[in-house]
PDB file of all heavy atoms in Angstrom:
ATOM      1  N   ILE A 139      45.921  40.364 -39.687  1.00  0.00           N
ATOM      2  CA  ILE A 139      44.690  39.922 -40.336  1.00  0.00           C
ATOM      3  C   ILE A 139      44.958  39.667 -41.814  1.00  0.00           C
ATOM      4  O   ILE A 139      44.895  40.562 -42.655  1.00  0.00           O
ATOM      5  CB  ILE A 139      43.516  40.906 -40.102  1.00  0.00           C
ATOM      6  CG1 ILE A 139      42.252  40.431 -40.816  1.00  0.00           C
ATOM      7  CG2 ILE A 139      43.897  42.344 -40.471  1.00  0.00           C
ATOM      8  CD1 ILE A 139      40.970  41.074 -40.343  1.00  0.00           C
ATOM      9  N   LEU A 140      45.267  38.431 -42.109  1.00  0.00           N
ATOM     10  CA  LEU A 140      45.614  38.014 -43.464  1.00  0.00           C
ATOM     11  C   LEU A 140      44.489  38.293 -44.457  1.00  0.00           C
ATOM     12  O   LEU A 140      44.739  38.662 -45.610  1.00  0.00           O
ATOM     13  CB  LEU A 140      45.955  36.518 -43.464  1.00  0.00           C
ATOM     14  CG  LEU A 140      46.243  35.849 -44.798  1.00  0.00           C
ATOM     15  CD1 LEU A 140      47.482  36.443 -45.446  1.00  0.00           C
ATOM     16  CD2 LEU A 140      46.415  34.340 -44.611  1.00  0.00           C
ATOM     17  N   ALA A 141      43.240  38.154 -44.028  1.00  0.00           N
ATOM     18  CA  ALA A 141      42.097  38.270 -44.935  1.00  0.00           C
ATOM     19  C   ALA A 141      42.004  39.629 -45.610  1.00  0.00           C
ATOM     20  O   ALA A 141      41.502  39.736 -46.731  1.00  0.00           O
ATOM     21  CB  ALA A 141      40.804  37.972 -44.183  1.00  0.00           C
ATOM     22  N   THR A 142      42.471  40.688 -44.958  1.00  0.00           N
ATOM     23  CA  THR A 142      42.361  42.029 -45.538  1.00  0.00           C
ATOM     24  C   THR A 142      43.708  42.635 -45.943  1.00  0.00           C
ATOM     25  O   THR A 142      43.774  43.388 -46.906  1.00  0.00           O
ATOM     26  CB  THR A 142      41.659  42.998 -44.561  1.00  0.00           C
ATOM     27  OG1 THR A 142      42.398  43.035 -43.342  1.00  0.00           O
ATOM     28  CG2 THR A 142      40.236  42.548 -44.283  1.00  0.00           C
ATOM     29  N   THR A 143      44.770  42.324 -45.209  1.00  0.00           N
ATOM     30  CA  THR A 143      46.079  42.875 -45.573  1.00  0.00           C
ATOM     31  C   THR A 143      46.800  42.010 -46.599  1.00  0.00           C
ATOM     32  O   THR A 143      47.737  42.467 -47.247  1.00  0.00           O
ATOM     33  CB  THR A 143      46.992  43.016 -44.336  1.00  0.00           C
ATOM     34  OG1 THR A 143      47.302  41.710 -43.826  1.00  0.00           O
ATOM     35  CG2 THR A 143      46.327  43.851 -43.254  1.00  0.00           C
ATOM     36  N   HIS A 144      46.358  40.731 -46.697  1.00  0.00           N
ATOM     37  CA  HIS A 144      46.984  39.759 -47.608  1.00  0.00           C
ATOM     38  C   HIS A 144      48.437  39.499 -47.252  1.00  0.00           C
ATOM     39  O   HIS A 144      49.239  39.098 -48.097  1.00  0.00           O
ATOM     40  CB  HIS A 144      46.838  40.211 -49.073  1.00  0.00           C
ATOM     41  CG  HIS A 144      45.425  40.571 -49.430  1.00  0.00           C
ATOM     42  ND1 HIS A 144      44.415  39.636 -49.483  1.00  0.00           N
ATOM     43  CD2 HIS A 144      44.841  41.768 -49.692  1.00  0.00           C
ATOM     44  CE1 HIS A 144      43.274  40.236 -49.782  1.00  0.00           C
ATOM     45  NE2 HIS A 144      43.502  41.521 -49.903  1.00  0.00           N
ATOM     46  N   MET A 145      48.760  39.744 -45.997  1.00  0.00           N
ATOM     47  CA  MET A 145      50.079  39.433 -45.457  1.00  0.00           C
ATOM     48  C   MET A 145      49.913  38.865 -44.062  1.00  0.00           C
ATOM     49  O   MET A 145      48.965  39.204 -43.357  1.00  0.00           O
ATOM     50  CB  MET A 145      50.954  40.697 -45.393  1.00  0.00           C
ATOM     51  CG  MET A 145      51.382  41.249 -46.732  1.00  0.00           C
ATOM     52  SD  MET A 145      52.389  42.752 -46.570  1.00  0.00           S
ATOM     53  CE  MET A 145      51.100  43.980 -46.263  1.00  0.00           C
ATOM     54  N   SER A 146      50.844  38.009 -43.685  1.00  0.00           N
ATOM     55  CA  SER A 146      50.829  37.409 -42.357  1.00  0.00           C
ATOM     56  C   SER A 146      52.130  37.764 -41.648  1.00  0.00           C
ATOM     57  O   SER A 146      53.216  37.531 -42.182  1.00  0.00           O
ATOM     58  CB  SER A 146      50.688  35.880 -42.473  1.00  0.00           C
ATOM     59  OG  SER A 146      50.733  35.279 -41.204  1.00  0.00           O
ATOM     60  N   GLU A 168      44.074  35.508 -37.915  1.00  0.00           N
ATOM     61  CA  GLU A 168      44.367  34.496 -38.926  1.00  0.00           C
ATOM     62  C   GLU A 168      43.809  33.143 -38.499  1.00  0.00           C
ATOM     63  O   GLU A 168      43.955  32.729 -37.350  1.00  0.00           O
ATOM     64  CB  GLU A 168      45.876  34.397 -39.154  1.00  0.00           C
ATOM     65  CG  GLU A 168      46.246  33.599 -40.381  1.00  0.00           C
ATOM     66  CD  GLU A 168      47.668  33.872 -40.845  1.00  0.00           C
ATOM     67  OE1 GLU A 168      48.195  34.971 -40.549  1.00  0.00           O
ATOM     68  OE2 GLU A 168      48.242  33.008 -41.505  1.00  0.00           O
TER      69      GLU A 168
END
Side-chain angles (χ1 to χ4, degrees):
I139 179 163
L140 175 63
T142 58
T143 66
H144 309 293
M145 291 179 281
S146 177
E168 192 162 335

